[in-house]
Amino acid sequence: MTETKLKIGITQGDPNGIGWEVILKTISNPLITELCTPVLYGSEAAMNHYRQTIAELERFEVVKVQAAEEAIEGKVNLVECGSLERIEPGKATAEAGAAAVEALQQATAALKAGQLDAVVTAPFVKETVQSEKFRYTGHTEFFGAELEGEPMMIMCSERLRVGLVTKHLPIAEIPRHITREKILKDLEALKRSLKEDFGVVAPKIAVLALNPHAGDGGLLGSEEQEVIRPAIEKAFEQGILAFGPFAADGLFASGSYTKYDGVLAMYHDQGLAPFKTLSPDGVNFTASLSEVRTSPDHGTAFDIAGQDKADAQSMRNALYMAIDIVRNRRAYAEWSANPLPKAERERTRRDQARDAERAARQGENNA
């Protein structure tokens, strides 16, 4: 029996950014429809506009459907939404922001309804998406409100995975949001994701310090001694292989990060700056939620929008990773399932086979 391909929703992001360009460059590869059934959410007019601006683009058909459940395997499917009157590459407008939100909300509704297996989001501008109906500081916070679980941002690539204790916060507010309880909770979440989503059996996690030089014994701050180290020790007692706190510059510059399966950073730029330097085509994954969402690790890049300069590799990687994570989660769920019901079914099958054999023999004896 042929396995049904995963349905992956892809949202247009800001239609004035590079979202459509990287989406089109990704899905034009005929291998994509062999890997999954892509379902695009966005403006057909915007899609066609950018399609004309890309010089070398393989020919492919886009089928319009009303909903993801109607998506056709082997085809690129489009759910028309998030339309706008004017397509203005490189301009941040409220109309484009509203179009991005509409596409995102429709894809998320399909994901929650079980019509999609995962969603890959193209970037939008946080300022232009704000409205009375959308007050989130980013995709991560939106999915955290829409799906079950506590969202954790993990930047990931083949060489590095970085989780964040705090995400989109002003620097001045970061210290008060870093607590023993929060670090321990995030270490638990990162360990679980490394096992279930990435297939790491016994993950080792490096924990970064908050202050320069890991606080220099309290001279440059006390968070390492009073908050971070106690959280690491507690995590270790609970079976989490957590180590640190390490000064961020030393860990990354020395290459010591390669000894660990994941890194837990205290704040956004502490983790993302080295990650994007080491993995320029990485992926943003929203972990610890009931459903899978990934995105490229770049923004809307208004300065090159509509100029056929956008590199689609990060979008490709986001799509591939969404597929891999869904498969890894399902495999892990099967491996870790309660063995008793499985054993009971096997016992019932053997009993039925034995009874059938006895009945057949009895029939032969009576003949």
PDB file of all heavy atoms in Angstrom, residues 27-66:
ATOM      1  N   ILE A  27       9.345  25.307  -4.461  1.00  0.00           N
ATOM      2  CA  ILE A  27       8.355  24.337  -4.940  1.00  0.00           C
ATOM      3  C   ILE A  27       8.456  24.066  -6.434  1.00  0.00           C
ATOM      4  O   ILE A  27       7.840  23.113  -6.929  1.00  0.00           O
ATOM      5  CB  ILE A  27       6.919  24.791  -4.604  1.00  0.00           C
ATOM      6  CG1 ILE A  27       6.588  26.108  -5.323  1.00  0.00           C
ATOM      7  CG2 ILE A  27       6.722  24.898  -3.104  1.00  0.00           C
ATOM      8  CD1 ILE A  27       5.150  26.507  -5.196  1.00  0.00           C
ATOM      9  N   SER A  28       9.234  24.857  -7.169  1.00  0.00           N
ATOM     10  CA  SER A  28       9.380  24.593  -8.601  1.00  0.00           C
ATOM     11  C   SER A  28      10.177  23.320  -8.866  1.00  0.00           C
ATOM     12  O   SER A  28      10.113  22.753  -9.955  1.00  0.00           O
ATOM     13  CB  SER A  28      10.056  25.783  -9.294  1.00  0.00           C
ATOM     14  OG  SER A  28      11.385  25.942  -8.819  1.00  0.00           O
ATOM     15  N   ASN A  29      10.929  22.869  -7.866  1.00  0.00           N
ATOM     16  CA  ASN A  29      11.668  21.618  -7.997  1.00  0.00           C
ATOM     17  C   ASN A  29      10.674  20.459  -8.002  1.00  0.00           C
ATOM     18  O   ASN A  29       9.930  20.266  -7.039  1.00  0.00           O
ATOM     19  CB  ASN A  29      12.641  21.468  -6.828  1.00  0.00           C
ATOM     20  CG  ASN A  29      13.535  20.255  -6.966  1.00  0.00           C
ATOM     21  OD1 ASN A  29      13.212  19.273  -7.624  1.00  0.00           O
ATOM     22  ND2 ASN A  29      14.696  20.309  -6.332  1.00  0.00           N
ATOM     23  N   PRO A  30      10.626  19.659  -9.067  1.00  0.00           N
ATOM     24  CA  PRO A  30       9.643  18.569  -9.146  1.00  0.00           C
ATOM     25  C   PRO A  30       9.795  17.523  -8.043  1.00  0.00           C
ATOM     26  O   PRO A  30       8.853  16.773  -7.763  1.00  0.00           O
ATOM     27  CB  PRO A  30       9.900  17.961 -10.529  1.00  0.00           C
ATOM     28  CG  PRO A  30      11.278  18.394 -10.906  1.00  0.00           C
ATOM     29  CD  PRO A  30      11.477  19.725 -10.276  1.00  0.00           C
ATOM     30  N   LEU A  31      10.952  17.466  -7.404  1.00  0.00           N
ATOM     31  CA  LEU A  31      11.150  16.510  -6.315  1.00  0.00           C
ATOM     32  C   LEU A  31      10.290  16.839  -5.097  1.00  0.00           C
ATOM     33  O   LEU A  31       9.983  15.960  -4.296  1.00  0.00           O
ATOM     34  CB  LEU A  31      12.624  16.472  -5.908  1.00  0.00           C
ATOM     35  CG  LEU A  31      13.610  15.916  -6.937  1.00  0.00           C
ATOM     36  CD1 LEU A  31      15.037  16.028  -6.426  1.00  0.00           C
ATOM     37  CD2 LEU A  31      13.280  14.467  -7.271  1.00  0.00           C
ATOM     38  N   ILE A  32       9.896  18.113  -4.971  1.00  0.00           N
ATOM     39  CA  ILE A  32       9.115  18.520  -3.802  1.00  0.00           C
ATOM     40  C   ILE A  32       7.783  17.785  -3.752  1.00  0.00           C
ATOM     41  O   ILE A  32       7.354  17.311  -2.692  1.00  0.00           O
ATOM     42  CB  ILE A  32       8.891  20.047  -3.797  1.00  0.00           C
ATOM     43  CG1 ILE A  32      10.222  20.785  -3.634  1.00  0.00           C
ATOM     44  CG2 ILE A  32       7.915  20.453  -2.693  1.00  0.00           C
ATOM     45  CD1 ILE A  32      10.949  20.483  -2.346  1.00  0.00           C
ATOM     46  N   THR A  33       7.094  17.674  -4.880  1.00  0.00           N
ATOM     47  CA  THR A  33       5.790  17.000  -4.880  1.00  0.00           C
ATOM     48  C   THR A  33       5.926  15.484  -4.740  1.00  0.00           C
ATOM     49  O   THR A  33       4.922  14.791  -4.559  1.00  0.00           O
ATOM     50  CB  THR A  33       5.001  17.338  -6.153  1.00  0.00           C
ATOM     51  OG1 THR A  33       5.815  17.096  -7.305  1.00  0.00           O
ATOM     52  CG2 THR A  33       4.564  18.792  -6.137  1.00  0.00           C
ATOM     53  N   GLU A  34       7.155  14.978  -4.847  1.00  0.00           N
ATOM     54  CA  GLU A  34       7.384  13.568  -4.545  1.00  0.00           C
ATOM     55  C   GLU A  34       7.577  13.368  -3.048  1.00  0.00           C
ATOM     56  O   GLU A  34       7.271  12.306  -2.509  1.00  0.00           O
ATOM     57  CB  GLU A  34       8.608  13.052  -5.306  1.00  0.00           C
ATOM     58  CG  GLU A  34       8.438  13.034  -6.820  1.00  0.00           C
ATOM     59  CD  GLU A  34       9.666  12.482  -7.528  1.00  0.00           C
ATOM     60  OE1 GLU A  34      10.470  11.793  -6.857  1.00  0.00           O
ATOM     61  OE2 GLU A  34       9.816  12.727  -8.736  1.00  0.00           O
ATOM     62  N   LEU A  35       8.076  14.405  -2.379  1.00  0.00           N
ATOM     63  CA  LEU A  35       8.303  14.337  -0.934  1.00  0.00           C
ATOM     64  C   LEU A  35       7.040  14.617  -0.137  1.00  0.00           C
ATOM     65  O   LEU A  35       6.826  14.034   0.927  1.00  0.00           O
ATOM     66  CB  LEU A  35       9.374  15.350  -0.520  1.00  0.00           C
ATOM     67  CG  LEU A  35      10.822  15.038  -0.872  1.00  0.00           C
ATOM     68  CD1 LEU A  35      11.704  16.232  -0.527  1.00  0.00           C
ATOM     69  CD2 LEU A  35      11.300  13.805  -0.128  1.00  0.00           C
ATOM     70  N   CYS A  36       6.213  15.547  -0.627  1.00  0.00           N
ATOM     71  CA  CYS A  36       5.035  15.970   0.128  1.00  0.00           C
ATOM     72  C   CYS A  36       4.008  16.563  -0.820  1.00  0.00           C
ATOM     73  O   CYS A  36       4.256  16.705  -2.023  1.00  0.00           O
ATOM     74  CB  CYS A  36       5.421  17.013   1.186  1.00  0.00           C
ATOM     75  SG  CYS A  36       5.972  18.593   0.491  1.00  0.00           S
ATOM     76  N   THR A  37       2.847  16.915  -0.267  1.00  0.00           N
ATOM     77  CA  THR A  37       1.820  17.631  -1.010  1.00  0.00           C
ATOM     78  C   THR A  37       1.798  19.061  -0.490  1.00  0.00           C
ATOM     79  O   THR A  37       1.267  19.331   0.585  1.00  0.00           O
ATOM     80  CB  THR A  37       0.440  16.983  -0.822  1.00  0.00           C
ATOM     81  OG1 THR A  37       0.493  15.626  -1.272  1.00  0.00           O
ATOM     82  CG2 THR A  37      -0.624  17.734  -1.608  1.00  0.00           C
ATOM     83  N   PRO A  38       2.404  20.004  -1.219  1.00  0.00           N
ATOM     84  CA  PRO A  38       2.428  21.395  -0.746  1.00  0.00           C
ATOM     85  C   PRO A  38       1.086  22.090  -0.944  1.00  0.00           C
ATOM     86  O   PRO A  38       0.457  21.958  -1.998  1.00  0.00           O
ATOM     87  CB  PRO A  38       3.528  22.036  -1.596  1.00  0.00           C
ATOM     88  CG  PRO A  38       3.645  21.193  -2.810  1.00  0.00           C
ATOM     89  CD  PRO A  38       3.181  19.824  -2.462  1.00  0.00           C
ATOM     90  N   VAL A  39       0.668  22.832   0.082  1.00  0.00           N
ATOM     91  CA  VAL A  39      -0.569  23.612   0.013  1.00  0.00           C
ATOM     92  C   VAL A  39      -0.201  25.059   0.349  1.00  0.00           C
ATOM     93  O   VAL A  39       0.118  25.377   1.496  1.00  0.00           O
ATOM     94  CB  VAL A  39      -1.639  23.091   1.000  1.00  0.00           C
ATOM     95  CG1 VAL A  39      -2.941  23.867   0.811  1.00  0.00           C
ATOM     96  CG2 VAL A  39      -1.870  21.601   0.811  1.00  0.00           C
ATOM     97  N   LEU A  40      -0.227  25.919  -0.656  1.00  0.00           N
ATOM     98  CA  LEU A  40       0.149  27.308  -0.471  1.00  0.00           C
ATOM     99  C   LEU A  40      -1.043  28.122   0.015  1.00  0.00           C
ATOM    100  O   LEU A  40      -2.178  27.890  -0.423  1.00  0.00           O
ATOM    101  CB  LEU A  40       0.665  27.901  -1.787  1.00  0.00           C
ATOM    102  CG  LEU A  40       1.695  27.082  -2.567  1.00  0.00           C
ATOM    103  CD1 LEU A  40       2.124  27.843  -3.815  1.00  0.00           C
ATOM    104  CD2 LEU A  40       2.890  26.754  -1.694  1.00  0.00           C
ATOM    105  N   TYR A  41      -0.790  29.085   0.879  1.00  0.00           N
ATOM    106  CA  TYR A  41      -1.827  29.995   1.375  1.00  0.00           C
ATOM    107  C   TYR A  41      -1.401  31.412   1.057  1.00  0.00           C
ATOM    108  O   TYR A  41      -0.406  31.904   1.601  1.00  0.00           O
ATOM    109  CB  TYR A  41      -2.022  29.821   2.882  1.00  0.00           C
ATOM    110  CG  TYR A  41      -2.732  28.542   3.252  1.00  0.00           C
ATOM    111  CD1 TYR A  41      -2.050  27.331   3.304  1.00  0.00           C
ATOM    112  CD2 TYR A  41      -4.102  28.536   3.522  1.00  0.00           C
ATOM    113  CE1 TYR A  41      -2.698  26.151   3.621  1.00  0.00           C
ATOM    114  CE2 TYR A  41      -4.765  27.360   3.838  1.00  0.00           C
ATOM    115  CZ  TYR A  41      -4.062  26.174   3.879  1.00  0.00           C
ATOM    116  OH  TYR A  41      -4.717  25.009   4.193  1.00  0.00           O
ATOM    117  N   GLY A  42      -2.149  32.053   0.143  1.00  0.00           N
ATOM    118  CA  GLY A  42      -1.794  33.413  -0.206  1.00  0.00           C
ATOM    119  C   GLY A  42      -2.497  33.907  -1.443  1.00  0.00           C
ATOM    120  O   GLY A  42      -3.425  33.269  -1.963  1.00  0.00           O
ATOM    121  N   SER A  43      -2.047  35.035  -1.914  1.00  0.00           N
ATOM    122  CA  SER A  43      -2.654  35.724  -3.051  1.00  0.00           C
ATOM    123  C   SER A  43      -2.152  35.147  -4.369  1.00  0.00           C
ATOM    124  O   SER A  43      -0.947  35.097  -4.620  1.00  0.00           O
ATOM    125  CB  SER A  43      -2.315  37.220  -2.971  1.00  0.00           C
ATOM    126  OG  SER A  43      -2.517  37.846  -4.208  1.00  0.00           O
ATOM    127  N   GLU A  44      -3.087  34.743  -5.209  1.00  0.00           N
ATOM    128  CA  GLU A  44      -2.710  34.234  -6.532  1.00  0.00           C
ATOM    129  C   GLU A  44      -2.068  35.333  -7.363  1.00  0.00           C
ATOM    130  O   GLU A  44      -1.092  35.098  -8.088  1.00  0.00           O
ATOM    131  CB  GLU A  44      -3.935  33.674  -7.254  1.00  0.00           C
ATOM    132  CG  GLU A  44      -3.599  33.066  -8.616  1.00  0.00           C
ATOM    133  CD  GLU A  44      -4.804  32.483  -9.322  1.00  0.00           C
ATOM    134  OE1 GLU A  44      -5.945  32.909  -9.006  1.00  0.00           O
ATOM    135  OE2 GLU A  44      -4.624  31.608 -10.188  1.00  0.00           O
ATOM    136  N   ALA A  45      -2.586  36.552  -7.251  1.00  0.00           N
ATOM    137  CA  ALA A  45      -2.023  37.674  -8.011  1.00  0.00           C
ATOM    138  C   ALA A  45      -0.586  37.945  -7.592  1.00  0.00           C
ATOM    139  O   ALA A  45       0.295  38.181  -8.431  1.00  0.00           O
ATOM    140  CB  ALA A  45      -2.878  38.916  -7.815  1.00  0.00           C
ATOM    141  N   ALA A  46      -0.338  37.918  -6.286  1.00  0.00           N
ATOM    142  CA  ALA A  46       1.025  38.137  -5.801  1.00  0.00           C
ATOM    143  C   ALA A  46       1.941  37.014  -6.264  1.00  0.00           C
ATOM    144  O   ALA A  46       3.086  37.259  -6.682  1.00  0.00           O
ATOM    145  CB  ALA A  46       1.029  38.246  -4.276  1.00  0.00           C
ATOM    146  N   MET A  47       1.463  35.788  -6.194  1.00  0.00           N
ATOM    147  CA  MET A  47       2.261  34.653  -6.645  1.00  0.00           C
ATOM    148  C   MET A  47       2.646  34.820  -8.113  1.00  0.00           C
ATOM    149  O   MET A  47       3.819  34.665  -8.488  1.00  0.00           O
ATOM    150  CB  MET A  47       1.482  33.347  -6.458  1.00  0.00           C
ATOM    151  CG  MET A  47       2.224  32.112  -6.956  1.00  0.00           C
ATOM    152  SD  MET A  47       1.214  30.617  -6.898  1.00  0.00           S
ATOM    153  CE  MET A  47       0.013  30.973  -8.213  1.00  0.00           C
ATOM    154  N   ASN A  48       1.665  35.149  -8.952  1.00  0.00           N
ATOM    155  CA  ASN A  48       1.935  35.307 -10.384  1.00  0.00           C
ATOM    156  C   ASN A  48       2.852  36.494 -10.663  1.00  0.00           C
ATOM    157  O   ASN A  48       3.667  36.459 -11.591  1.00  0.00           O
ATOM    158  CB  ASN A  48       0.626  35.458 -11.150  1.00  0.00           C
ATOM    159  CG  ASN A  48      -0.168  34.163 -11.190  1.00  0.00           C
ATOM    160  OD1 ASN A  48       0.409  33.075 -11.097  1.00  0.00           O
ATOM    161  ND2 ASN A  48      -1.483  34.266 -11.305  1.00  0.00           N
ATOM    162  N   HIS A  49       2.726  37.543  -9.855  1.00  0.00           N
ATOM    163  CA  HIS A  49       3.599  38.711 -10.027  1.00  0.00           C
ATOM    164  C   HIS A  49       5.068  38.312  -9.851  1.00  0.00           C
ATOM    165  O   HIS A  49       5.920  38.635 -10.690  1.00  0.00           O
ATOM    166  CB  HIS A  49       3.236  39.798  -9.016  1.00  0.00           C
ATOM    167  CG  HIS A  49       4.190  40.951  -8.999  1.00  0.00           C
ATOM    168  ND1 HIS A  49       4.069  42.031  -9.852  1.00  0.00           N
ATOM    169  CD2 HIS A  49       5.305  41.192  -8.237  1.00  0.00           C
ATOM    170  CE1 HIS A  49       5.060  42.878  -9.617  1.00  0.00           C
ATOM    171  NE2 HIS A  49       5.821  42.398  -8.641  1.00  0.00           N
ATOM    172  N   TYR A  50       5.365  37.603  -8.762  1.00  0.00           N
ATOM    173  CA  TYR A  50       6.748  37.227  -8.498  1.00  0.00           C
ATOM    174  C   TYR A  50       7.209  36.099  -9.421  1.00  0.00           C
ATOM    175  O   TYR A  50       8.404  35.985  -9.717  1.00  0.00           O
ATOM    176  CB  TYR A  50       6.917  36.835  -7.030  1.00  0.00           C
ATOM    177  CG  TYR A  50       6.821  38.034  -6.114  1.00  0.00           C
ATOM    178  CD1 TYR A  50       5.674  38.279  -5.371  1.00  0.00           C
ATOM    179  CD2 TYR A  50       7.866  38.945  -6.020  1.00  0.00           C
ATOM    180  CE1 TYR A  50       5.570  39.390  -4.542  1.00  0.00           C
ATOM    181  CE2 TYR A  50       7.779  40.059  -5.194  1.00  0.00           C
ATOM    182  CZ  TYR A  50       6.633  40.267  -4.472  1.00  0.00           C
ATOM    183  OH  TYR A  50       6.540  41.380  -3.658  1.00  0.00           O
ATOM    184  N   ARG A  51       6.264  35.310  -9.871  1.00  0.00           N
ATOM    185  CA  ARG A  51       6.617  34.237 -10.810  1.00  0.00           C
ATOM    186  C   ARG A  51       7.238  34.825 -12.076  1.00  0.00           C
ATOM    187  O   ARG A  51       8.148  34.246 -12.672  1.00  0.00           O
ATOM    188  CB  ARG A  51       5.368  33.427 -11.136  1.00  0.00           C
ATOM    189  CG  ARG A  51       5.625  32.030 -11.673  1.00  0.00           C
ATOM    190  CD  ARG A  51       4.344  31.230 -11.719  1.00  0.00           C
ATOM    191  NE  ARG A  51       4.554  29.876 -12.164  1.00  0.00           N
ATOM    192  CZ  ARG A  51       3.616  28.938 -12.170  1.00  0.00           C
ATOM    193  NH1 ARG A  51       2.399  29.217 -11.727  1.00  0.00           N
ATOM    194  NH2 ARG A  51       3.889  27.715 -12.605  1.00  0.00           N
ATOM    195  N   GLN A  52       6.757  35.985 -12.480  1.00  0.00           N
ATOM    196  CA  GLN A  52       7.261  36.635 -13.687  1.00  0.00           C
ATOM    197  C   GLN A  52       8.612  37.304 -13.479  1.00  0.00           C
ATOM    198  O   GLN A  52       9.319  37.606 -14.449  1.00  0.00           O
ATOM    199  CB  GLN A  52       6.245  37.670 -14.177  1.00  0.00           C
ATOM    200  CG  GLN A  52       4.924  37.064 -14.634  1.00  0.00           C
ATOM    201  CD  GLN A  52       3.861  38.113 -14.905  1.00  0.00           C
ATOM    202  OE1 GLN A  52       4.140  39.309 -14.854  1.00  0.00           O
ATOM    203  NE2 GLN A  52       2.651  37.666 -15.186  1.00  0.00           N
ATOM    204  N   THR A  53       8.981  37.547 -12.233  1.00  0.00           N
ATOM    205  CA  THR A  53      10.246  38.246 -11.962  1.00  0.00           C
ATOM    206  C   THR A  53      11.434  37.296 -11.819  1.00  0.00           C
ATOM    207  O   THR A  53      12.575  37.744 -11.788  1.00  0.00           O
ATOM    208  CB  THR A  53      10.147  39.070 -10.666  1.00  0.00           C
ATOM    209  OG1 THR A  53      10.026  38.185  -9.536  1.00  0.00           O
ATOM    210  CG2 THR A  53       8.947  40.012 -10.699  1.00  0.00           C
ATOM    211  N   ILE A  54      11.157  35.997 -11.729  1.00  0.00           N
ATOM    212  CA  ILE A  54      12.228  35.021 -11.532  1.00  0.00           C
ATOM    213  C   ILE A  54      12.675  34.487 -12.885  1.00  0.00           C
ATOM    214  O   ILE A  54      11.898  33.869 -13.617  1.00  0.00           O
ATOM    215  CB  ILE A  54      11.769  33.881 -10.611  1.00  0.00           C
ATOM    216  CG1 ILE A  54      11.317  34.448  -9.256  1.00  0.00           C
ATOM    217  CG2 ILE A  54      12.889  32.867 -10.409  1.00  0.00           C
ATOM    218  CD1 ILE A  54      10.703  33.422  -8.327  1.00  0.00           C
ATOM    219  N   ALA A  55      13.918  34.715 -13.214  1.00  0.00           N
ATOM    220  CA  ALA A  55      14.419  34.392 -14.558  1.00  0.00           C
ATOM    221  C   ALA A  55      14.454  32.895 -14.827  1.00  0.00           C
ATOM    222  O   ALA A  55      13.928  32.422 -15.841  1.00  0.00           O
ATOM    223  CB  ALA A  55      15.811  34.999 -14.738  1.00  0.00           C
ATOM    224  N   GLU A  56      15.071  32.142 -13.956  1.00  0.00           N
ATOM    225  CA  GLU A  56      15.204  30.697 -14.167  1.00  0.00           C
ATOM    226  C   GLU A  56      14.305  29.955 -13.188  1.00  0.00           C
ATOM    227  O   GLU A  56      14.681  29.662 -12.060  1.00  0.00           O
ATOM    228  CB  GLU A  56      16.663  30.276 -13.994  1.00  0.00           C
ATOM    229  CG  GLU A  56      17.598  30.905 -15.019  1.00  0.00           C
ATOM    230  CD  GLU A  56      19.032  30.446 -14.840  1.00  0.00           C
ATOM    231  OE1 GLU A  56      19.261  29.526 -14.019  1.00  0.00           O
ATOM    232  OE2 GLU A  56      19.912  31.014 -15.497  1.00  0.00           O
ATOM    233  N   LEU A  57      13.121  29.650 -13.647  1.00  0.00           N
ATOM    234  CA  LEU A  57      12.133  28.967 -12.808  1.00  0.00           C
ATOM    235  C   LEU A  57      11.530  27.824 -13.608  1.00  0.00           C
ATOM    236  O   LEU A  57      10.988  28.033 -14.700  1.00  0.00           O
ATOM    237  CB  LEU A  57      11.031  29.941 -12.382  1.00  0.00           C
ATOM    238  CG  LEU A  57      10.056  29.453 -11.305  1.00  0.00           C
ATOM    239  CD1 LEU A  57      10.784  29.275  -9.970  1.00  0.00           C
ATOM    240  CD2 LEU A  57       8.902  30.428 -11.138  1.00  0.00           C
ATOM    241  N   GLU A  58      11.650  26.619 -13.073  1.00  0.00           N
ATOM    242  CA  GLU A  58      11.083  25.461 -13.775  1.00  0.00           C
ATOM    243  C   GLU A  58       9.573  25.602 -13.862  1.00  0.00           C
ATOM    244  O   GLU A  58       8.917  26.093 -12.947  1.00  0.00           O
ATOM    245  CB  GLU A  58      11.453  24.166 -13.028  1.00  0.00           C
ATOM    246  CG  GLU A  58      12.943  23.859 -13.034  1.00  0.00           C
ATOM    247  CD  GLU A  58      13.229  22.455 -12.532  1.00  0.00           C
ATOM    248  OE1 GLU A  58      12.582  21.510 -13.010  1.00  0.00           O
ATOM    249  OE2 GLU A  58      14.095  22.315 -11.661  1.00  0.00           O
ATOM    250  N   ARG A  59       9.026  25.143 -14.975  1.00  0.00           N
ATOM    251  CA  ARG A  59       7.583  25.214 -15.178  1.00  0.00           C
ATOM    252  C   ARG A  59       6.882  24.216 -14.267  1.00  0.00           C
ATOM    253  O   ARG A  59       7.298  23.065 -14.152  1.00  0.00           O
ATOM    254  CB  ARG A  59       7.229  24.914 -16.637  1.00  0.00           C
ATOM    255  CG  ARG A  59       7.771  25.942 -17.623  1.00  0.00           C
ATOM    256  CD  ARG A  59       7.456  25.526 -19.055  1.00  0.00           C
ATOM    257  NE  ARG A  59       6.019  25.431 -19.287  1.00  0.00           N
ATOM    258  CZ  ARG A  59       5.250  26.446 -19.619  1.00  0.00           C
ATOM    259  NH1 ARG A  59       5.780  27.667 -19.743  1.00  0.00           N
ATOM    260  NH2 ARG A  59       3.966  26.290 -19.838  1.00  0.00           N
ATOM    261  N   PHE A  60       5.824  24.669 -13.627  1.00  0.00           N
ATOM    262  CA  PHE A  60       5.037  23.773 -12.792  1.00  0.00           C
ATOM    263  C   PHE A  60       3.610  24.299 -12.711  1.00  0.00           C
ATOM    264  O   PHE A  60       3.361  25.497 -12.862  1.00  0.00           O
ATOM    265  CB  PHE A  60       5.645  23.651 -11.385  1.00  0.00           C
ATOM    266  CG  PHE A  60       5.656  24.930 -10.602  1.00  0.00           C
ATOM    267  CD1 PHE A  60       4.647  25.231  -9.696  1.00  0.00           C
ATOM    268  CD2 PHE A  60       6.688  25.859 -10.762  1.00  0.00           C
ATOM    269  CE1 PHE A  60       4.661  26.410  -8.971  1.00  0.00           C
ATOM    270  CE2 PHE A  60       6.709  27.035 -10.041  1.00  0.00           C
ATOM    271  CZ  PHE A  60       5.695  27.317  -9.144  1.00  0.00           C
ATOM    272  N   GLU A  61       2.696  23.404 -12.456  1.00  0.00           N
ATOM    273  CA  GLU A  61       1.280  23.752 -12.393  1.00  0.00           C
ATOM    274  C   GLU A  61       0.860  23.999 -10.950  1.00  0.00           C
ATOM    275  O   GLU A  61       1.275  23.286 -10.037  1.00  0.00           O
ATOM    276  CB  GLU A  61       0.438  22.617 -12.987  1.00  0.00           C
ATOM    277  CG  GLU A  61      -1.056  22.881 -12.978  1.00  0.00           C
ATOM    278  CD  GLU A  61      -1.872  21.697 -13.447  1.00  0.00           C
ATOM    279  OE1 GLU A  61      -1.278  20.628 -13.700  1.00  0.00           O
ATOM    280  OE2 GLU A  61      -3.107  21.830 -13.537  1.00  0.00           O
ATOM    281  N   VAL A  62       0.031  25.006 -10.774  1.00  0.00           N
ATOM    282  CA  VAL A  62      -0.558  25.292  -9.463  1.00  0.00           C
ATOM    283  C   VAL A  62      -2.064  25.076  -9.566  1.00  0.00           C
ATOM    284  O   VAL A  62      -2.724  25.661 -10.424  1.00  0.00           O
ATOM    285  CB  VAL A  62      -0.265  26.728  -9.007  1.00  0.00           C
ATOM    286  CG1 VAL A  62      -0.943  27.008  -7.670  1.00  0.00           C
ATOM    287  CG2 VAL A  62       1.238  26.962  -8.885  1.00  0.00           C
ATOM    288  N   VAL A  63      -2.591  24.227  -8.701  1.00  0.00           N
ATOM    289  CA  VAL A  63      -4.015  23.904  -8.706  1.00  0.00           C
ATOM    290  C   VAL A  63      -4.702  24.654  -7.572  1.00  0.00           C
ATOM    291  O   VAL A  63      -4.297  24.537  -6.412  1.00  0.00           O
ATOM    292  CB  VAL A  63      -4.238  22.384  -8.535  1.00  0.00           C
ATOM    293  CG1 VAL A  63      -5.730  22.070  -8.514  1.00  0.00           C
ATOM    294  CG2 VAL A  63      -3.538  21.615  -9.635  1.00  0.00           C
ATOM    295  N   LYS A  64      -5.736  25.421  -7.885  1.00  0.00           N
ATOM    296  CA  LYS A  64      -6.483  26.134  -6.850  1.00  0.00           C
ATOM    297  C   LYS A  64      -7.494  25.197  -6.197  1.00  0.00           C
ATOM    298  O   LYS A  64      -8.238  24.490  -6.882  1.00  0.00           O
ATOM    299  CB  LYS A  64      -7.204  27.346  -7.434  1.00  0.00           C
ATOM    300  CG  LYS A  64      -6.275  28.490  -7.825  1.00  0.00           C
ATOM    301  CD  LYS A  64      -7.051  29.700  -8.313  1.00  0.00           C
ATOM    302  CE  LYS A  64      -7.864  30.326  -7.207  1.00  0.00           C
ATOM    303  NZ  LYS A  64      -8.508  31.604  -7.636  1.00  0.00           N
ATOM    304  N   VAL A  65      -7.495  25.194  -4.865  1.00  0.00           N
ATOM    305  CA  VAL A  65      -8.446  24.390  -4.101  1.00  0.00           C
ATOM    306  C   VAL A  65      -9.096  25.272  -3.052  1.00  0.00           C
ATOM    307  O   VAL A  65      -8.559  26.314  -2.672  1.00  0.00           O
ATOM    308  CB  VAL A  65      -7.752  23.176  -3.432  1.00  0.00           C
ATOM    309  CG1 VAL A  65      -7.225  22.213  -4.486  1.00  0.00           C
ATOM    310  CG2 VAL A  65      -6.616  23.631  -2.514  1.00  0.00           C
ATOM    311  N   GLN A  66     -10.237  24.858  -2.575  1.00  0.00           N
ATOM    312  CA  GLN A  66     -10.947  25.633  -1.561  1.00  0.00           C
ATOM    313  C   GLN A  66     -10.386  25.395  -0.169  1.00  0.00           C
ATOM    314  O   GLN A  66     -10.446  26.271   0.693  1.00  0.00           O
ATOM    315  CB  GLN A  66     -12.439  25.271  -1.577  1.00  0.00           C
ATOM    316  CG  GLN A  66     -13.156  25.685  -2.852  1.00  0.00           C
ATOM    317  CD  GLN A  66     -13.138  27.191  -3.054  1.00  0.00           C
ATOM    318  OE1 GLN A  66     -13.430  27.965  -2.138  1.00  0.00           O
ATOM    319  NE2 GLN A  66     -12.782  27.617  -4.255  1.00  0.00           N
TER     320      GLN A  66
END
